[in-house]
Amino acid sequence: MKNVRIGNSNWETSAIALGIMRMADLSADQATKAIEAAHDNGINFIDSADIYGMGKSEEVFAQGLKNSSLNRDDFYIQSKGGIINNPDGKLANFEAGKRYDFSKKHIVESVDGILQRLNIDYLDSFLLHRPDTLMDPEEIAKAFDELQTTGKVRHFGVSNFNPEQYQMVQEAVDQKLLINQLQFGIMHTGMIDFGIHTNMSDDRSVDHDGGILEFSRRKGVTIQAWSPFQYGFFEGVFINNDKFPELNSKLEELAKKYNVGKNAIATAWILRHPANIQVILGTMNPDHIADSAQGGDVQLTNQEWYDVYFAAGNDLP
Ligand SMILES: NC(=O)c1ccc[n+]([C@@H]2O[C@H](COP(=O)([O-])OP(=O)(O)OC[C@H]3O[C@@H](n4cnc5c(N)ncnc54)[C@H](OP(=O)(O)O)[C@@H]3O)[C@@H](O)[C@H]2O)c1
């Protein structure tokens, strides 16, 4: 498994991470198996968020880790906060309402809840989950200072931010924002397409993200690719999906060549980009975790990278 340097810091972690958004549905025993499969295959980074399973994912993870042969120090643990999704107020441990909220009070309380559910003393990193248009960057600065000085959070970052939003918060906080978590994968390539189609008038020339890929490379920000195997916004998985015959046949061909499975080629494709991207897996299946992690050892050629891009339905002007 290759490593990535997180942002422009000296912090290095596995290039592939395990996200626990889907862990809420697992038994503690199944969670233990997923956690051990990740560790056995070189993954040392966990991604969570306070709202995954409305807290349940973090509780199941804590139980799964406790029952495993591993402990907290075997992993870097990241979580996210800033989304309130408790419209009818029925969830006693979550604030009532439905909004994004980057107030100091909410950010600090979010981290406290995360640490409690995960049963740990600190987070290796904490991300602001989705940009709150009502955000006051000074409030965020106060929250980050408190979380850092109390030792509850070691590193900070954002998620689904465009460059201007990133820059606005970065100018207000003392901590370097090392991470921006964004959807990216073979079937979600907007941040690449628009650069390739610059100065054209076709759909792919539209810049939806403000040049976030190039911005992140210039600023030393690690992009964490979420939903690496999904097409659309949670529409489904493209691997072994009859809707994508050309792509699956290309993945199959490369999987044979490198003696791995298709998941590995899909993760290797993301890691092949020189933007220092980290892949956040969502699979909870130990076999799929093992196969996906193998992508951390596969180096696709430039031509293979473009061939996969074409097989996904893309072109070059
Ligand atoms: N920042 C954000 O806004 C944001 C948003 C969404 C997600 N995330 C993070 O990203 C992580 C990954 O998201 P995701 O779960 O959507 O990503 P994903 O890894 O693209 O999708 C996971 C799904 O793909 C299935 N899958 C994987 N390989 C498969 C195969 N070979 N055949 C059939 N099904 C397969 C998994 O099922 P099995 O379990 O059966 O393998 C699972 O249902 C989350 O856990 C979370 O940490 C962040």
Side-chain angles (χ1 to χ4, degrees):
M1 167 69 65
K2 74 174 186 183
N3 278 347
V4 281
R5 191 157 72 98
I6 300 295
N8 53 6
S9 72
N10 293 324
W11 179 25
E12 285 208 2
T13 83
S14 55
I16 298 179
L18 183 70
I20 62 166
M21 181 176 73
R22 298 173 194 269
M23 198 167 264
D25 300 331
L26 267 53
S27 67
D29 193 37
Q30 289 170 318
T32 299
K33 290 195 172 87
I35 293 164
E36 289 182 339
H39 184 264
D40 289 350
N41 288 282
I43 292 172
N44 66 9
F45 194 105
I46 301 294
D47 177 64
S48 180
D50 54 1
I51 57 160
Y52 290 164
M54 292 317 292
K56 184 88 191 298
S57 285
E58 297 188 327
E59 288 168 0
V60 174
F61 176 82
Q63 196 58 51
L65 183 64
K66 192 173 165 208
N67 298 351
S68 75
S69 53
L70 305 162
N71 58 56
R72 193 260 174 265
D73 297 333
D74 289 311
F75 293 102
Y76 297 111
I77 301 182
Q78 165 176 286
S79 192
K80 305 185 280 295
I83 299 178
I84 293 176
N85 190 13
N86 187 16
D88 48 19
K90 282 188 182 150
L91 298 161
N93 294 327
F94 286 89
E95 201 171 329
K98 181 176 165 65
R99 63 183 188 277
Y100 298 157
D101 191 334
F102 287 180
S103 64
K104 180 187 174 205
K105 177 176 179 294
H106 179 67
I107 293 172
V108 171
E109 282 179 2
S110 164
V111 171
D112 286 340
I114 290 164
L115 295 178
Q116 196 179 19
R117 285 187 297 276
L118 289 173
N119 194 22
I120 58 176
D121 299 330
Y122 68 91
L123 285 173
D124 291 283
S125 44
F126 173 76
L127 313 184
L128 298 170
H129 202 156
R130 278 195 172 273
D132 172 17
T133 192
L134 302 182
M135 72 176 108
D136 172 1
E138 295 306 322
E139 279 269 307
I140 299 170
K142 284 183 198 150
F144 281 12
D145 283 346
E146 181 171 320
L147 292 170
Q148 189 174 45
T149 51
T150 51
K152 291 177 185 173
V153 176
R154 297 195 167 170
H155 302 98
F156 295 85
V158 296
S159 174
N160 304 303
F161 270 46
N162 68 34
E164 284 297 331
Q165 291 162 335
Y166 173 97
Q167 199 60 34
M168 181 174 70
V169 175
Q170 182 61 88
E171 283 164 14
V173 303
D174 286 340
Q175 301 78 10
K176 163 78 184 178
L177 301 175
L178 295 173
I179 295 162
N180 192 0
Q181 195 171 111
L182 299 156
Q183 184 174 5
F184 183 66
I186 295 172
M187 290 302 301
H188 191 94
T189 50
M191 68 172 92
I192 282 178
D193 304 337
F194 116 89
I196 291 175
H197 289 250
T198 294
N199 202 27
M200 307 283 290
S201 52
D202 57 340
D203 287 351
R204 287 193 177 88
S205 67
V206 177
D207 175 10
H208 295 279
D209 316 301
I212 192 67
L213 179 73
E214 289 77 11
F215 175 86
S216 303
R217 293 180 73 176
R218 284 175 45 230
K219 297 285 178 181
V221 182
T222 293
I223 292 175
Q224 293 181 333
W226 60 261
S227 292
F229 308 135
Q230 302 282 316
Y231 60 97
F233 185 66
F234 300 119
E235 278 179 61
V237 178
F238 59 76
I239 296 173
N240 296 330
N241 185 329
D242 294 343
K243 279 188 183 157
F244 308 101
E246 203 187 327
L247 175 57
N248 274 285
S249 117
K250 179 52 72 180
L251 293 176
E252 180 84 43
E253 177 196 319
L254 292 170
K256 276 201 184 112
K257 174 181 168 186
Y258 288 100
N259 199 21
V260 293
K262 289 182 187 172
N263 284 50
I265 301 302
T267 54
W269 186 86
I270 296 171
L271 297 176
R272 178 64 187 79
H273 198 282
N276 192 33
I277 298 174
Q278 190 180 26
V279 180
I280 313 283
L281 305 176
T283 171
M284 295 285 104
N285 173 323
D287 292 338
H288 291 162
I289 292 171
D291 180 22
S292 307
Q294 299 254 300
D297 296 316
V298 172
Q299 178 79 357
L300 298 176
T301 67
N302 286 19
Q303 188 59 58
E304 286 165 349
W305 188 93
Y306 273 100
D307 287 345
V308 170
Y309 184 66
F310 299 145
N314 299 296
D315 60 3
L316 298 180

